[in-house]
Amino acid sequence: MSIIKYYYHRGKIDDLIVKHHQFSRLKNAFITNPHFKWRDESTGYLSHHLQVAFFGKSGYGKSSTVNSFFGDSILKTSDIEACTRRCETLDFELSKDCYLSLADFPGIGESEYRDKEYLQMYASFLSYSTAVVYVLRADQRDLTVDLSAYSTIFPNTEDKKKVIFALNCCDKIEPVNRNCSVEPSDEQIRNIEIKVKSIVDLFNPVNPIVPYSAATGWNMNNLANEIVQKISTSQGVVLK
Ligand SMILES: Nc1nc2c(ncn2[C@@H]2O[C@H](COP(=O)(O)OP(=O)(O)OP(=O)(O)O)[C@@H](O)[C@H]2O)c(=O)[nH]1
Ligand SMILES: [Mg+2]
């Protein structure tokens, strides 16, 4: 089966390092894993991708997170309606024909019909991904869809090892700070810790959960660090 992703941007890894120095560890990376090979349908160009997939519910900020890493609103986002409809990537060259690929996906939870299609899409991209950032929201409580999706998409431990739970919208956790400060208040930090613990109890994740805010940029460096850490332990990836 051929799977298709749409290139939105192709640049250099330095474009990401400017904001998040953690990505510099990937510079000059060399990829030997055959699963990470991609062919451009229109040009025939063959390249290797360290793909980081962004999964999760619609409206939880997957596209906003990729935009925040990039430092510009390149991917479409929406306050109101489900937005992303296909796999769209931003690729950053690491070495000759090797790229870090931030792959944004459509969100689940919109309708049963769409979920079926999107969960299949997630599953088919999984083996081509070095890491999966599964986005949750700090200001939401209903995790039913996420629990069901987690067990469907990642049936075994090897798959679960790829997943980094990323708790977005920490700026919106109560008591909301009206001063528009980037740093959460002490009370918010306490509530974020409680929220993180509840997610650990429910999902029993392999990797640490990263709370952050794509809107303010708070703790995005930590998310970058976890992504790079995950990639560095991936089979068939040599960091120099
Ligand atoms: N306050 C706040 N709002 C955020 C944050 N991240 C995203 N948003 C908002 O949440 C809404 C949805 O964000 P998107 O990035 O479009 O969400 P998505 O997960 O890509 O949604 P789909 O493409 O439908 O799957 C937008 O209005 C964003 O501005 C955040 O950290 N804090
Ligand atoms: Mg989106």
Side-chain angles (χ1 to χ4, degrees):
M1 187 186 70
S2 78
I3 57 174
I4 298 173
K5 57 180 181 177
Y6 295 84
Y7 302 107
Y8 246 65
H9 172 84
R10 193 158 260 182
K12 299 272 182 199
I13 191 64
D14 289 342
D15 302 347
L16 287 185
I17 295 172
V18 171
K19 262 190 97 187
H20 301 284
H21 67 89
Q22 292 77 5
F23 289 113
S24 61
R25 274 184 69 200
L26 302 179
K27 213 170 174 174
N28 303 318
F30 186 66
I31 307 163
T32 56
N33 190 325
H35 268 118
F36 302 159
K37 208 183 269 181
W38 289 85
R39 180 184 294 279
D40 188 314
E41 286 292 326
S42 52
T43 64
Y45 172 57
L46 210 83
S47 51
H48 297 81
H49 295 195
L50 296 178
Q51 181 171 274
V52 181
F54 289 78
F55 293 168
K57 265 166 93 172
S58 176
Y60 276 26
K62 297 176 294 301
S63 307
S64 302
T65 305
V66 176
N67 283 342
S68 179
F69 277 133
F70 184 59
D72 200 358
S73 300
I74 188 165
L75 297 169
K76 213 172 133 212
T77 65
S78 170
D79 298 340
I80 309 295
E81 57 188 3
C83 199
T84 313
R85 292 293 183 203
R86 56 191 195 175
C87 173
E88 296 170 345
T89 74
L90 274 57
D91 294 349
F92 303 92
E93 193 176 20
L94 304 168
S95 58
K96 191 176 179 319
D97 301 330
C98 292
Y99 295 83
L100 171 70
S101 184
L102 302 182
D104 186 24
F105 282 81
I108 52 173
E110 184 193 358
S111 71
E112 262 182 52
Y113 170 75
R114 296 267 192 195
D115 279 5
K116 206 169 163 222
E117 178 193 342
Y118 293 157
L119 287 171
Q120 269 172 11
M121 191 192 287
Y122 288 3
S124 59
F125 273 87
L126 187 60
S127 61
Y128 300 94
S129 302
T130 46
V132 173
V133 176
Y134 193 100
V135 177
L136 298 169
R137 266 186 86 128
D139 59 341
Q140 301 289 320
R141 293 177 187 206
D142 186 352
L143 294 161
T144 325
V145 168
D146 304 295
L147 276 166
S148 156
Y150 185 55
S151 55
T152 306
I153 315 163
F154 313 104
N156 57 54
T157 311
E158 272 318 296
D159 295 330
K160 287 186 172 77
K161 277 186 191 164
K162 290 186 178 179
V163 182
I164 301 162
F165 281 102
L167 185 63
N168 190 22
C169 297
C170 283
D171 56 295
K172 291 191 87 176
I173 204 158
E174 293 294 340
V176 172
N177 187 344
R178 306 277 170 212
N179 301 328
C180 297
S181 150
V182 169
E183 289 297 316
S185 65
D186 290 347
E187 292 103 311
Q188 283 182 306
I189 291 283
R190 271 196 291 280
N191 284 338
I192 290 167
E193 282 168 3
I194 293 168
K195 187 81 190 175
V196 165
K197 179 157 184 330
S198 73
I199 294 165
V200 170
D201 291 346
L202 276 171
F203 290 87
N204 192 20
V206 176
N207 300 302
I209 293 168
V210 185
Y212 74 105
S213 166
T216 66
W218 175 73
N219 222 24
M220 289 286 296
N221 269 337
N222 230 331
L223 184 54
N225 193 46
E226 283 303 323
I227 291 170
V228 171
Q229 187 57 29
K230 190 90 299 261
I231 289 173
S232 71
T233 56
S234 219
Q235 264 194 357
V237 178
V238 184
L239 301 188
K240 294 193 178 158

